[in-house]
Amino acid sequence: MNNKLQKQLLKRSKAAKLERLGKTVSFLALMLITVTVFAIIIFVASKGLSTFFSNHVNVIDFLTGKDWNPNVTNSKGQPEVGVLPMISGSFVVTVLSAILATPFAIGTAIFMTEISPHRGAKILQPVIELLVGIPSVVYGFIGLTVVVPAVRSIFGGSGFGILAGTFVLFVMILPTVTSMSVDALRSVPRYYREAALALGATQWQTIYKVVLRAATPGMLTAIVFGMARAFGEALAVQMVIGNAALLPHSLVSPASTLTSVLTTGIGNTVMGSLQNNALWSLALVLLVMSLIFNLVIRLIGRKGAMSK
Amino acid sequence: MSPKTSNQIAISMLYVIASTIVVILAALLGYIIISGLPAISWHFLTSPARAFTSGGGVGIQLFNSFYLLILTMLISFPIALGAGIYLNEYAKQNWVTALVRSAIEILSSLPSVVVGLFGFLIFVVQFGFGFSILSGAFALTFFNLPLLTRSIEEALAAVPDAQREGGLALGLSKWETVLHIIVPAALPAILTGVILSAGRIFGEAAALIFTAGQSAPALNFTDWNPFNMASPLNPMRPAETLAVHIWKINSEGIMPDAKAISSGASAVLVISVLGFNLLARFVGHRLFKRLTAG
Amino acid sequence: MLINPSSPHSDDGWLERHIVDPSLKSQQPIVLETKQLRVFYGDNEAIHEGDLKFPEHQISALIGPSGSGKSTYLRSLNRMNDGVARVTGEILYRGVDVNRPEIDVYEMRRRIGMVFQRPNPFSKSIYDNITFALKRRGITDKKVLDETVETSLRQAAIWDEVKDKLNKSALALSGGQQQRLCIARAIAVKPDILLLDEPASALDPVSTGKLEETLLKLKKDYTIIIVTHNMQQAARISDFTAFFNMGRALEFDETSQIFTSPKVQLTNNYVAGDFG
């Protein structure tokens, strides 16, 4: 046995020490992110739940109440913190903007992948990247100066409301949904198309009956992603929706969303007060919805993977 | 209708839709630039805002946006780099990794207003940083980390394994190999990711209104001692950014020229983001060439 | 009596297995030896019973059809399979078993270097490619570094081609030059043994010729173990040859023996070009 060599080989080298250090440091960085996520969930939940545990507001009343007036107590001696107007406002703008954006997004995605890949790459790809890059306050500002007056002159009223919010969100989620749909269509194998075309199908028949079917899970994911973005968007919507905490009764009357009430309200309330806690409950609703969107995307992904 | 006719109709419809998107972008950009450019002047870009009278600028807000961007990057880049390295180089395929990946995904899809509220709760209130650049930078760090981590991870994954083996076979540790060979090789892609996320940070407002604050106290641009309250470098001062300023004056601004200022500020914001985009492309191409060719 | 076709005692004179101890045939001491080496990918056993001994300052070639396990075997020798596969058994490097968890794998790899199938220079200058590992080990003296660069590049027979462009990117070199640069990079850290995994498979015939010349010169300073799918190459440069098939080293002997009078029938078929 070679003792000197054995000793040299058993000694921990500088490389071994660096390896241990590096692995630990990078692991800690990763853990920092993970812990932050759990911290966000825990903190927002504990603040948001205190409306129900400290202020004893009934959860059902909270979710179904139609009046949002945290400073006023109602006939039952409870503060008026019904969030139905905001929740319905959020859902209505989200669903409407998704309905509006879907045909445009999928149409453009088909154009980019199936009809004219060259122009898709040269013109539409940069267009979509630029649309993603425009900050949301700029969308809000344009909504305020262009969309709201346009809605006002066509439909009357103040112009602020669900419709203006829908238009702004439509443009904002369009690039996200489009680029994810493009990915979904690109992942459909080439031979699917070739097989259909070889059977004598027209290009549109091939797209409609073969390519779109195969890409359905991916495109559903894209739409849900767009909806998650629309649901969580704050400032652009807040600038055009009118900020009246009323149940929306028409598309052109002022309304509000969870995010719009949060952004305008949190600065004007005192920490720990019921008014403030109620706003944190709104944030919690927003957080839970975001988790639900995440879950839905995951379920679609799993189902898509199974059907393949 | 024969299949041939419906084919024709469908394809023409697709042309119409695709053109509509191009028109929407052109109209948006055209509107922003045309309505904004007349407002932009040297005076506008350098002088402080005025609350009640017209003629104010966005100088302080512009400085704040850049300072906040730099601070955010200084905090988030090392964390994202570490996390990206661990995920791509060390993480085994097990439930812990799956959980971590889900957490990152959740963070990336959280509404930025929720991230901002969390930052408010922790940094502004709990840690007592108040409305400050530092609170804002931490909030933006949370906002930035998931995407930056993902782009760094992808950049590292694109470097061939042969490079890793090359380092290991010389008796170097995996960590040294990654830090000194893989990261430099992935640098063009990493920088592209950094610059693109810089554009996102630059335009973000919702996460800032309750962290960095909505006021821009006057700054003394001759005082560079970060401990003085009027110093531009003081990280503990409230700092309204350009994006927050646009939101603020449109929500509750009372200066007579609010619209002109918003137009100008929007144009500055959009031009900056476009600049970041172009820079990202340029840097990616240029560095890639320099690294591969003699 | 029924004759079992797979019986080891076949009547035609072939052996089932024939592993020679090189110390019986050469004066050189043994520097590397494997005992009961087995490699597992998950539950699949890729190598079983690779018991070979490699003599100092000689070139040993590992040949065999693709999938025979020769590359897996080679990569296990300096534990490049750590984290990829499970390796059991002993790897005795100058008498020390290095296949133990308490061995410092980095110091071991410094002594047992490796060159890969595809040239993998770092995207750095030629100079930095050579000095990189030295600098990481704390050698910063410019004179020492300059000297090492020159001697390593000279030993790898590429000095004359690159001496005027040491600060140019290594990626601008041709494939053959890149591979010799990788050899220079490997010997810059002063290893004892060089493992080469099909180093010429991505090269043209002229570059291959230069590479082989280089290896023949290197063997006076280093022990070389080379995996090759090119039998002529093994015949041209190696002193000993091992034939692998289905995860087993079937025959190991002097190269001349393997190519002129193999003792195992499969070896004979393989070197005759019947399969592979």
Side-chain angles (χ1 to χ4, degrees), chain A residues 172-210:
Chain A
M172 289 186 74
I173 65 172
L174 192 57
T176 315
V177 185
T178 308
S179 65
M180 289 182 68
S181 300
V182 168
D183 292 343
L185 290 172
R186 284 210 180 118
S187 67
V188 176
R190 241 182 114 80
Y191 60 80
Y192 276 40
R193 300 173 178 89
E194 284 160 359
L197 290 171
L199 289 172
T202 63
Q203 194 175 14
W204 174 243
Q205 284 172 325
T206 306
I207 293 168
Y208 186 69
K209 298 228 162 100
V210 179

Side-chain angles (χ1 to χ4, degrees), chain A residues 35 49 51 73 216 221 277 295:
Chain A
V35 168
L49 290 174
T51 312
T73 33
T216 304
T221 309
N277 287 348
L295 202 68

